[in-house]
PDB file of all heavy atoms in Angstrom:
ATOM      1  N   GLU A   1      85.101   0.902  13.032  1.00  0.00           N
ATOM      2  CA  GLU A   1      83.738   1.265  13.472  1.00  0.00           C
ATOM      3  C   GLU A   1      82.895   0.015  13.324  1.00  0.00           C
ATOM      4  O   GLU A   1      83.027  -0.825  12.388  1.00  0.00           O
ATOM      5  CB  GLU A   1      83.219   2.395  12.504  1.00  0.00           C
ATOM      6  CG  GLU A   1      84.010   3.679  12.732  1.00  0.00           C
ATOM      7  CD  GLU A   1      83.338   4.852  11.980  1.00  0.00           C
ATOM      8  OE1 GLU A   1      82.223   4.725  11.517  1.00  0.00           O
ATOM      9  OE2 GLU A   1      84.044   5.839  11.837  1.00  0.00           O
ATOM     10  N   TRP A   2      82.011  -0.137  14.323  1.00  0.00           N
ATOM     11  CA  TRP A   2      81.141  -1.282  14.424  1.00  0.00           C
ATOM     12  C   TRP A   2      79.834  -0.841  15.056  1.00  0.00           C
ATOM     13  O   TRP A   2      79.736  -0.053  15.948  1.00  0.00           O
ATOM     14  CB  TRP A   2      81.795  -2.344  15.207  1.00  0.00           C
ATOM     15  CG  TRP A   2      80.999  -3.636  15.452  1.00  0.00           C
ATOM     16  CD1 TRP A   2      80.943  -4.673  14.599  1.00  0.00           C
ATOM     17  CD2 TRP A   2      80.168  -3.884  16.524  1.00  0.00           C
ATOM     18  NE1 TRP A   2      80.065  -5.562  15.157  1.00  0.00           N
ATOM     19  CE2 TRP A   2      79.569  -5.137  16.342  1.00  0.00           C
ATOM     20  CE3 TRP A   2      79.825  -3.171  17.697  1.00  0.00           C
ATOM     21  CZ2 TRP A   2      78.723  -5.715  17.252  1.00  0.00           C
ATOM     22  CZ3 TRP A   2      78.928  -3.781  18.569  1.00  0.00           C
ATOM     23  CH2 TRP A   2      78.360  -4.993  18.368  1.00  0.00           C
ATOM     24  N   TYR A   6      74.544  -6.788  21.510  1.00  0.00           N
ATOM     25  CA  TYR A   6      75.373  -7.712  22.256  1.00  0.00           C
ATOM     26  C   TYR A   6      75.023  -7.660  23.734  1.00  0.00           C
ATOM     27  O   TYR A   6      74.163  -6.820  24.113  1.00  0.00           O
ATOM     28  CB  TYR A   6      76.929  -7.391  22.027  1.00  0.00           C
ATOM     29  CG  TYR A   6      77.234  -5.980  22.462  1.00  0.00           C
ATOM     30  CD1 TYR A   6      77.697  -5.669  23.803  1.00  0.00           C
ATOM     31  CD2 TYR A   6      77.194  -4.960  21.536  1.00  0.00           C
ATOM     32  CE1 TYR A   6      78.013  -4.384  24.177  1.00  0.00           C
ATOM     33  CE2 TYR A   6      77.548  -3.632  21.870  1.00  0.00           C
ATOM     34  CZ  TYR A   6      77.949  -3.360  23.182  1.00  0.00           C
ATOM     35  OH  TYR A   6      78.260  -2.120  23.573  1.00  0.00           O
ATOM     36  N   ALA A  39      62.456   2.133  21.063  1.00  0.00           N
ATOM     37  CA  ALA A  39      61.234   2.812  21.597  1.00  0.00           C
ATOM     38  C   ALA A  39      60.575   3.606  20.442  1.00  0.00           C
ATOM     39  O   ALA A  39      59.368   3.566  20.272  1.00  0.00           O
ATOM     40  CB  ALA A  39      61.524   3.591  22.830  1.00  0.00           C
ATOM     41  N   ARG A  42      59.021   1.382  17.838  1.00  0.00           N
ATOM     42  CA  ARG A  42      57.746   0.795  18.281  1.00  0.00           C
ATOM     43  C   ARG A  42      56.675   1.865  18.206  1.00  0.00           C
ATOM     44  O   ARG A  42      55.525   1.502  17.711  1.00  0.00           O
ATOM     45  CB  ARG A  42      57.876   0.217  19.707  1.00  0.00           C
ATOM     46  CG  ARG A  42      58.488  -1.140  19.807  1.00  0.00           C
ATOM     47  CD  ARG A  42      58.292  -1.744  21.107  1.00  0.00           C
ATOM     48  NE  ARG A  42      58.765  -0.986  22.291  1.00  0.00           N
ATOM     49  CZ  ARG A  42      60.042  -0.916  22.623  1.00  0.00           C
ATOM     50  NH1 ARG A  42      60.968  -1.673  22.076  1.00  0.00           N
ATOM     51  NH2 ARG A  42      60.445  -0.158  23.676  1.00  0.00           N
ATOM     52  N   ILE A  54      42.787   3.339  10.212  1.00  0.00           N
ATOM     53  CA  ILE A  54      41.851   4.479   9.980  1.00  0.00           C
ATOM     54  C   ILE A  54      41.702   4.671   8.419  1.00  0.00           C
ATOM     55  O   ILE A  54      40.564   4.835   7.900  1.00  0.00           O
ATOM     56  CB  ILE A  54      42.299   5.731  10.609  1.00  0.00           C
ATOM     57  CG1 ILE A  54      42.145   5.576  12.159  1.00  0.00           C
ATOM     58  CG2 ILE A  54      41.501   6.986  10.111  1.00  0.00           C
ATOM     59  CD1 ILE A  54      42.760   6.760  12.969  1.00  0.00           C
ATOM     60  N   VAL A  59      38.536   4.043   3.411  1.00  0.00           N
ATOM     61  CA  VAL A  59      38.423   3.440   2.032  1.00  0.00           C
ATOM     62  C   VAL A  59      37.274   2.502   2.040  1.00  0.00           C
ATOM     63  O   VAL A  59      36.505   2.526   1.003  1.00  0.00           O
ATOM     64  CB  VAL A  59      39.784   2.793   1.612  1.00  0.00           C
ATOM     65  CG1 VAL A  59      39.609   1.942   0.362  1.00  0.00           C
ATOM     66  CG2 VAL A  59      40.839   3.856   1.374  1.00  0.00           C
ATOM     67  N   GLN A  77      15.622   0.088  -7.124  1.00  0.00           N
ATOM     68  CA  GLN A  77      14.718   0.745  -7.972  1.00  0.00           C
ATOM     69  C   GLN A  77      14.169  -0.132  -9.054  1.00  0.00           C
ATOM     70  O   GLN A  77      13.000  -0.090  -9.427  1.00  0.00           O
ATOM     71  CB  GLN A  77      15.365   2.079  -8.635  1.00  0.00           C
ATOM     72  CG  GLN A  77      15.540   3.234  -7.711  1.00  0.00           C
ATOM     73  CD  GLN A  77      16.153   4.327  -8.366  1.00  0.00           C
ATOM     74  OE1 GLN A  77      17.396   4.443  -8.455  1.00  0.00           O
ATOM     75  NE2 GLN A  77      15.400   5.259  -8.921  1.00  0.00           N
ATOM     76  N   LEU A  78      15.102  -0.930  -9.738  1.00  0.00           N
ATOM     77  CA  LEU A  78      14.631  -1.871 -10.755  1.00  0.00           C
ATOM     78  C   LEU A  78      13.667  -2.884 -10.141  1.00  0.00           C
ATOM     79  O   LEU A  78      12.713  -3.176 -10.780  1.00  0.00           O
ATOM     80  CB  LEU A  78      15.837  -2.637 -11.253  1.00  0.00           C
ATOM     81  CG  LEU A  78      16.651  -1.941 -12.408  1.00  0.00           C
ATOM     82  CD1 LEU A  78      17.922  -2.690 -12.687  1.00  0.00           C
ATOM     83  CD2 LEU A  78      15.875  -1.770 -13.642  1.00  0.00           C
ATOM     84  N   GLY A  86       4.731  -5.404 -12.906  1.00  0.00           N
ATOM     85  CA  GLY A  86       4.195  -6.782 -12.853  1.00  0.00           C
ATOM     86  C   GLY A  86       2.811  -6.806 -12.178  1.00  0.00           C
ATOM     87  O   GLY A  86       2.036  -7.749 -12.471  1.00  0.00           O
ATOM     88  N   ARG A  93       7.096   4.180 -14.679  1.00  0.00           N
ATOM     89  CA  ARG A  93       8.455   4.122 -15.384  1.00  0.00           C
ATOM     90  C   ARG A  93       9.494   4.158 -14.326  1.00  0.00           C
ATOM     91  O   ARG A  93       9.484   4.957 -13.403  1.00  0.00           O
ATOM     92  CB  ARG A  93       8.594   5.317 -16.365  1.00  0.00           C
ATOM     93  CG  ARG A  93       7.617   5.321 -17.564  1.00  0.00           C
ATOM     94  CD  ARG A  93       7.674   4.132 -18.396  1.00  0.00           C
ATOM     95  NE  ARG A  93       6.758   4.150 -19.530  1.00  0.00           N
ATOM     96  CZ  ARG A  93       5.545   3.629 -19.475  1.00  0.00           C
ATOM     97  NH1 ARG A  93       5.037   3.033 -18.393  1.00  0.00           N
ATOM     98  NH2 ARG A  93       4.704   3.674 -20.533  1.00  0.00           N
ATOM     99  N   GLU A 101      24.949  -1.089 -17.782  1.00  0.00           N
ATOM    100  CA  GLU A 101      24.029  -2.181 -17.962  1.00  0.00           C
ATOM    101  C   GLU A 101      22.745  -1.979 -17.162  1.00  0.00           C
ATOM    102  O   GLU A 101      21.624  -2.320 -17.563  1.00  0.00           O
ATOM    103  CB  GLU A 101      24.650  -3.504 -17.562  1.00  0.00           C
ATOM    104  CG  GLU A 101      25.778  -3.994 -18.453  1.00  0.00           C
ATOM    105  CD  GLU A 101      27.140  -3.362 -18.137  1.00  0.00           C
ATOM    106  OE1 GLU A 101      27.214  -2.618 -17.202  1.00  0.00           O
ATOM    107  OE2 GLU A 101      28.072  -3.643 -18.841  1.00  0.00           O
ATOM    108  N   HIS A 119      -0.391  -1.977 -26.144  1.00  0.00           N
ATOM    109  CA  HIS A 119      -1.116  -3.262 -26.446  1.00  0.00           C
ATOM    110  C   HIS A 119      -2.377  -3.279 -25.670  1.00  0.00           C
ATOM    111  O   HIS A 119      -3.444  -3.713 -26.232  1.00  0.00           O
ATOM    112  CB  HIS A 119      -0.202  -4.389 -26.092  1.00  0.00           C
ATOM    113  CG  HIS A 119      -0.826  -5.712 -26.449  1.00  0.00           C
ATOM    114  ND1 HIS A 119      -1.121  -6.177 -27.739  1.00  0.00           N
ATOM    115  CD2 HIS A 119      -1.252  -6.693 -25.679  1.00  0.00           C
ATOM    116  CE1 HIS A 119      -1.660  -7.366 -27.686  1.00  0.00           C
ATOM    117  NE2 HIS A 119      -1.804  -7.675 -26.445  1.00  0.00           N
ATOM    118  N   GLN A 122      -4.910  -1.122 -27.294  1.00  0.00           N
ATOM    119  CA  GLN A 122      -5.487  -1.761 -28.462  1.00  0.00           C
ATOM    120  C   GLN A 122      -6.445  -2.828 -28.100  1.00  0.00           C
ATOM    121  O   GLN A 122      -7.496  -2.963 -28.797  1.00  0.00           O
ATOM    122  CB  GLN A 122      -4.311  -2.362 -29.286  1.00  0.00           C
ATOM    123  CG  GLN A 122      -3.469  -1.361 -29.970  1.00  0.00           C
ATOM    124  CD  GLN A 122      -2.196  -1.973 -30.654  1.00  0.00           C
ATOM    125  OE1 GLN A 122      -1.919  -3.144 -30.414  1.00  0.00           O
ATOM    126  NE2 GLN A 122      -1.536  -1.222 -31.495  1.00  0.00           N
ATOM    127  N   GLU A 124      -8.289  -2.980 -25.495  1.00  0.00           N
ATOM    128  CA  GLU A 124      -9.492  -2.326 -24.997  1.00  0.00           C
ATOM    129  C   GLU A 124     -10.363  -1.742 -26.123  1.00  0.00           C
ATOM    130  O   GLU A 124     -11.570  -1.905 -26.141  1.00  0.00           O
ATOM    131  CB  GLU A 124      -9.149  -1.215 -23.983  1.00  0.00           C
ATOM    132  CG  GLU A 124      -8.690  -1.765 -22.650  1.00  0.00           C
ATOM    133  CD  GLU A 124      -8.191  -0.712 -21.738  1.00  0.00           C
ATOM    134  OE1 GLU A 124      -8.290   0.591 -22.109  1.00  0.00           O
ATOM    135  OE2 GLU A 124      -7.707  -1.006 -20.589  1.00  0.00           O
ATOM    136  N   THR A 156     -27.201 -30.942 -33.128  1.00  0.00           N
ATOM    137  CA  THR A 156     -27.352 -30.255 -31.843  1.00  0.00           C
ATOM    138  C   THR A 156     -27.425 -28.708 -32.123  1.00  0.00           C
ATOM    139  O   THR A 156     -26.633 -28.117 -32.751  1.00  0.00           O
ATOM    140  CB  THR A 156     -26.202 -30.511 -30.943  1.00  0.00           C
ATOM    141  OG1 THR A 156     -26.032 -31.894 -30.814  1.00  0.00           O
ATOM    142  CG2 THR A 156     -26.292 -29.836 -29.566  1.00  0.00           C
ATOM    143  N   ASN A 161     -33.004 -17.905 -32.409  1.00  0.00           N
ATOM    144  CA  ASN A 161     -33.510 -16.557 -32.121  1.00  0.00           C
ATOM    145  C   ASN A 161     -34.893 -16.687 -31.480  1.00  0.00           C
ATOM    146  O   ASN A 161     -35.419 -17.809 -31.314  1.00  0.00           O
ATOM    147  CB  ASN A 161     -33.511 -15.656 -33.322  1.00  0.00           C
ATOM    148  CG  ASN A 161     -34.552 -16.016 -34.333  1.00  0.00           C
ATOM    149  OD1 ASN A 161     -35.057 -17.146 -34.328  1.00  0.00           O
ATOM    150  ND2 ASN A 161     -34.771 -15.117 -35.271  1.00  0.00           N
ATOM    151  N   GLU A 162     -35.407 -15.571 -31.067  1.00  0.00           N
ATOM    152  CA  GLU A 162     -36.670 -15.516 -30.319  1.00  0.00           C
ATOM    153  C   GLU A 162     -37.831 -16.142 -31.266  1.00  0.00           C
ATOM    154  O   GLU A 162     -38.675 -16.838 -30.791  1.00  0.00           O
ATOM    155  CB  GLU A 162     -37.026 -14.127 -29.900  1.00  0.00           C
ATOM    156  CG  GLU A 162     -38.195 -14.042 -28.942  1.00  0.00           C
ATOM    157  CD  GLU A 162     -37.978 -14.697 -27.583  1.00  0.00           C
ATOM    158  OE1 GLU A 162     -36.744 -14.741 -27.137  1.00  0.00           O
ATOM    159  OE2 GLU A 162     -38.899 -15.249 -26.979  1.00  0.00           O
TER     160      GLU A 162
END
Side-chain angles (χ1 to χ4, degrees):
E1 293 188 15
W2 177 86
Y6 58 92
R42 277 194 306 276
I54 290 171
V59 167
Q77 284 179 275
L78 277 172
R93 298 295 183 268
E101 291 85 1
H119 182 68
Q122 289 173 348
E124 287 174 4
T156 306
N161 70 346
E162 191 66 33

